[in-house]
Amino acid sequence: EVQLVESGGGLVQAGGSLRLSCAASGFTFDDYTIGWFRQAPGKERETISCIDMGDGAKYYADSVKGRFTISSDNARNTVYLQMNRLKPEDTAVYYCAAIKSSRRGSWSYGDLYDYRGQGTQVTVSS
């Protein structure tokens, strides 16, 4: 059974940090790109950060560059998103999604994912 399970969300004050985890199972990790996306009420989905598990290439949205860091633990089939200097506008549901790297195209693969987690709420208070 394929699963992507996010964890690590919560409530934090502005300027604080959180680390999200995306634990994957049921597919060949190295063949996929794992991305973090977020969606806030009334806003469009935003591609935050992605990592190609095969070659390690990474992508960051301009809105999070310098504050968020994506990393992976291939032995644990887990991708992390370290979020520092959080802002109220980072408040959203964050979810991870996997797409086979060979058909990814752009980093903003959005609804083209093969597998997706259920999401985790991140709330940043001012």
Side-chain angles (χ1 to χ4, degrees):
E1 180 187 5
V2 172
Q3 278 192 315
L4 288 175
V5 180
E6 302 100 335
S7 61
L11 173 64
V12 65
Q13 287 189 331
S17 298
L18 285 173
R19 188 177 81 156
L20 305 183
S21 299
C22 173
S25 60
F27 60 93
T28 305
F29 206 49
D30 290 355
D31 292 342
Y32 283 77
T33 292
I34 309 293
W36 285 99
F37 302 79
R38 69 185 180 189
Q39 186 147 26
K43 294 187 179 180
E44 290 189 358
R45 179 187 56 236
E46 183 180 9
T47 305
I48 298 303
S49 183
C50 306
I51 182 168
D52 184 317
M53 300 310 302
D55 64 14
K58 298 177 183 179
Y59 163 84
Y60 293 97
D62 287 343
S63 59
V64 304
K65 271 180 188 173
R67 300 189 297 126
F68 291 10
T69 303
I70 194 167
S71 63
S72 67
D73 182 339
N74 289 46
R76 297 176 184 268
N77 281 10
T78 301
V79 171
Y80 303 99
L81 186 68
Q82 178 66 44
M83 306 187 295
N84 298 329
R85 304 201 317 270
L86 282 160
K87 305 175 182 179
E89 52 263 44
D90 293 319
T91 296
V93 175
Y94 285 68
Y95 64 94
C96 59
I99 185 171
K100 201 155 190 182
S101 296
S102 59
R103 66 179 196 89
R104 185 187 70 221
S106 78
W107 289 110
S108 298
Y109 55 90
D111 288 335
L112 299 178
Y113 61 83
D114 294 301
Y115 313 113
R116 204 198 101 160
Q118 80 289 351
T120 185
Q121 177 71 44
V122 172
T123 303
V124 185
S125 63
S126 57

